[in-house]
Amino acid sequence: NVNRLRTSYRRRVYRFNENLRKILKGSIIKDVEVKKNDRVIFFNLEKTNEFFEKNKLTLVIELIPTKTNLMILDGDNKVLYAYKYIDLTHSRPVVRGLEYVPLEERNEVIFRDDLSYEDYLEAVNHYLKEATEKRQKEIEFYIQQIHLYLPLLP
């Protein structure tokens, strides 16, 4: 059973590597971007097709623990290929042909020596308020999905 899992994993990785090579072959790296406080790397690429037209591609590597992913986007930021596809029920779907949804910027409480106790409490309360609002939006999204699919159930 373990050998079967290893073989399946090897096939998946091999297929992914072959497709990645096929799409990126002949591409030139034009720029590399890392957004502030983010764990996502964007490689802006340029590839010339058989009609000598230059196409823009973006290789996106998301370095998030337990959610690491690698995607190739076209010039319109639509997903051409991904290592892990995420279905439409999630807040950030990754589906071929759909536009890439970037991660939300992380708002972190910064510990500084020059902050007074009151300013620190204000920063923490602001952070908690934003986190609560974000969670509320996610809950509302899931409720909408439930109401959308509930009539379809037998």
Side-chain angles (χ1 to χ4, degrees), residues 113-129:
D113 293 337
D114 61 336
L115 279 178
S116 69
Y117 180 71
E118 290 80 21
D119 291 340
Y120 174 74
L121 282 180
E122 185 179 325
V124 169
N125 286 330
H126 178 72
Y127 174 78
L128 291 175
K129 181 181 175 190

Side-chain angles (χ1 to χ4, degrees), residues 2-123:
V2 172
N3 287 333
R4 195 176 302 153
L5 287 173
R6 284 182 187 158
T7 304
S8 171
Y9 175 76
R10 285 182 187 145
R11 275 193 215 129
R12 179 178 175 199
V13 169
Y14 177 76
R15 232 178 286 127
F16 176 76
N17 288 340
E18 287 298 310
N19 288 332
L20 195 62
R21 265 191 218 110
K22 185 171 79 173
I23 294 171
L24 296 180
K25 187 175 183 178
S27 296
I28 299 169
I29 297 175
K30 290 293 188 180
D31 188 27
V32 179
E33 279 182 71
V34 177
K35 307 279 186 198
K36 181 183 174 191
N37 284 336
D38 216 347
R39 294 171 283 182
V40 182
I41 304 169
F42 297 91
F43 291 90
N44 297 314
L45 310 168
E46 191 175 86
K47 181 177 179 180
T48 306
N49 65 13
E50 58 271 4
F51 302 111
F52 301 103
E53 300 170 336
K54 294 187 178 195
N55 298 323
K56 292 183 180 181
L57 298 173
T58 305
L59 177 66
V60 181
I61 303 173
E62 295 182 344
L63 301 169
I64 302 154
T66 70
K67 296 181 184 180
T68 301
N69 204 356
L70 186 144
M71 292 164 277
I72 300 172
L73 312 176
D74 65 7
D76 299 326
N77 270 353
K78 292 187 178 177
V79 176
L80 290 177
Y81 192 68
Y83 182 68
K84 292 179 188 172
Y85 290 98
I86 302 169
D87 63 17
L88 295 171
T89 59
H90 289 79
S91 59
R92 285 188 63 240
V94 175
V95 178
R96 187 175 288 149
L98 255 165
E99 191 168 332
Y100 171 71
V101 179
L103 289 170
E104 292 181 15
E105 283 190 23
R106 297 186 300 167
N107 293 325
E108 297 179 1
V109 176
I110 300 170
F111 297 99
R112 295 184 358 211
D113 293 337
D114 61 336
L115 279 178
S116 69
Y117 180 71
E118 290 80 21
D119 291 340
Y120 174 74
L121 282 180
E122 185 179 325

